[in-house]
């Protein structure tokens, strides 16, 4: 299937590892020109080399960016525009807030989680929307979490901020769909990433168990009985970013091997 992504300009935030890197790789494989970013210089350099081996350095733009720094984030998007042209595809992503129970949240944690998870996605989207609307075509896909659909007891910050982001995206989708800009999000389940491994480690310490036991418990909850492969995730997001996906907007799509039990 031709996804119509050849030479499209895509930005994938938080893309030096895990699901963000998988999305960037798939978009490159489908012919897009892709801008990646992250906070860690060494990891950014490694990811840039990896992706350049897939598609050539001329189709990869890399910058060290902390998405909680609004000015730096918007500036990086403008530099992508200068190099590749107007951004046509935006995939928002950021490392998740630290684990916390509902009674453990504090003002500092709320501020950090807001900047990282919610405000960064809004700032990035607002920066690229004018060009998308003017062109009559654009795709915005936000990577969120299954916690949007059923809150996770140990991830209070994530529950709150990702739910808020989903509400904003739903509102935005209705405002810009008529301009040819489709806005969706993916509620991720258990995929084999460093982030998930870190959560297993945190739970193991709290519960007096091993990381292997925590992974087994999580896997047992998934009807397909395995963790997701990041490449599978990249494939879905590439479709949502494509010309073949032209009638889906305002959707928070669960991608979790059947873990989510909600009816809608």
């Amino acid at each position: 299937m031709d996804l119509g992504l050849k030479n499209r300009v895509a930005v994938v935030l938080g893309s030096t590892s895990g699901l963000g890197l998988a999305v960037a790789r798939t978009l490159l494989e489908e012919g897009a020109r892709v801008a990646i970013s992250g906070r860690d210089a060494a990891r950014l350099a490694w990811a840039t080399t990896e992706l350049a081996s897939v598609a050539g350095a001329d189709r990869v733009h890399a910058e060290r960016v902390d998405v909680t720094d609004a000015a730096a984030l918007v500036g990086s998007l403008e530099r992508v525009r200068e190099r590749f042209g107007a951004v046509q595809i935006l995939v928002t992503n950021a490392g998740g807030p630290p684990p916390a129970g509902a009674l453990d949240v504090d003002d500092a944690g709320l501020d950090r989680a807001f900047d990282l998870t919610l405000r960064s996605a809004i700032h990035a989207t607002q920066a690229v929307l004018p060009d998308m609307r003017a062109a009559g075509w654009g795709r915005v896909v936000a990577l969120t979490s299954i916690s949007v659909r059923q809150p996770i007891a140990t991830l209070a910050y994530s529950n709150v901020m990702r739910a808020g982001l989903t509400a904003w995206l739903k509102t935005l989708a209705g405002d810009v769909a008529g301009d040819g800009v489709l806005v969706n999000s993916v509620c991720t389940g258990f995929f084999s990433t460093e982030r998930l491994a870190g959560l297993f480690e945190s739970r193991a310490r709290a519960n007096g168990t091993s990381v292997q036991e925590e992974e087994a418990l999580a896997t047992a909850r998934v009807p397909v009985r395995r963790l997701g492969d990041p490449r599978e995730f990249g494939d879905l997001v590439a479709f949502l970013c494509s010309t073949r996906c032209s009638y889906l907007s305002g959707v928070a799509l669960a991608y979790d091997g059947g873990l989510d039990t909600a009816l809608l």
Side-chain angles (χ1 to χ4, degrees):
M1 179 186 292
D2 181 3
L3 297 181
L5 291 172
K6 187 174 182 180
N7 291 324
R8 294 283 185 183
V9 179
V11 170
V12 185
L13 301 178
S15 42
T16 58
S17 65
L19 298 182
L21 179 61
V23 170
R25 180 186 298 273
T26 305
L27 292 174
L28 281 168
E29 291 172 344
E30 293 295 326
R33 291 172 288 170
V34 179
I36 66 169
S37 61
R39 289 177 296 176
D40 185 279
R43 184 169 288 180
L44 179 65
W46 177 85
T48 303
T49 301
E50 282 290 300
L51 294 177
S53 71
V54 172
D58 61 320
R59 286 175 43 212
V60 180
H61 179 86
E63 284 200 36
R64 186 179 180 186
V65 179
D66 182 347
V67 297
T68 65
D69 183 334
L73 175 58
V74 173
S76 73
L77 292 170
E78 182 55 35
R79 285 186 289 277
V80 175
R81 190 177 191 271
E82 291 169 358
R83 179 176 177 186
F84 286 152
V87 175
Q88 299 164 297
I89 295 165
L90 173 67
V91 180
T92 71
N93 183 41
L103 298 178
D104 300 322
V105 302
D106 56 31
D107 286 350
L110 287 169
D111 288 344
R112 171 67 178 169
F114 177 70
D115 287 341
L116 178 67
T117 305
L118 203 165
R119 182 151 54 186
S120 66
I122 293 176
H123 281 157
T125 303
Q126 289 177 330
V128 301
L129 271 176
D131 281 337
M132 291 183 180
R133 299 179 81 180
W137 195 94
R139 300 289 186 267
V140 176
V141 179
L143 308 192
T144 63
S145 166
I146 200 65
S147 66
V148 168
R149 300 174 65 86
Q150 46 189 46
I152 299 171
T154 58
L155 297 179
Y157 290 122
S158 180
N159 296 340
V160 171
M161 300 305 166
R162 297 194 195 281
L165 175 58
T166 302
W168 182 79
L169 292 166
K170 183 72 171 182
T171 307
L172 175 66
D175 291 342
V176 300
D179 299 321
V181 181
L182 305 186
V183 179
N184 294 292
S185 61
V186 182
C187 306
T188 63
F190 298 145
F191 283 81
S192 297
T193 63
E194 291 180 15
R195 163 71 172 169
L196 183 61
L199 289 176
F200 288 154
E201 290 175 3
S202 176
R203 291 174 185 174
R205 287 193 297 269
N207 298 332
T209 57
S210 69
V211 172
Q212 292 75 20
E213 287 173 314
E214 291 298 328
E215 180 175 335
L217 286 170
T219 303
R221 294 172 53 202
V222 181
V224 301
R225 295 295 186 266
R226 65 176 176 85
L227 302 181
D229 184 331
R231 290 191 67 87
E232 297 174 291
F233 191 88
D235 290 342
L236 173 67
V237 175
F239 173 73
L240 294 176
C241 294
S242 74
T243 59
R244 300 302 292 267
C245 181
S246 57
Y247 200 62
L248 185 70
S249 192
V251 171
L253 181 63
Y255 196 26
D256 58 6
L259 176 64
D260 175 27
T261 59
L263 294 178
L264 298 173

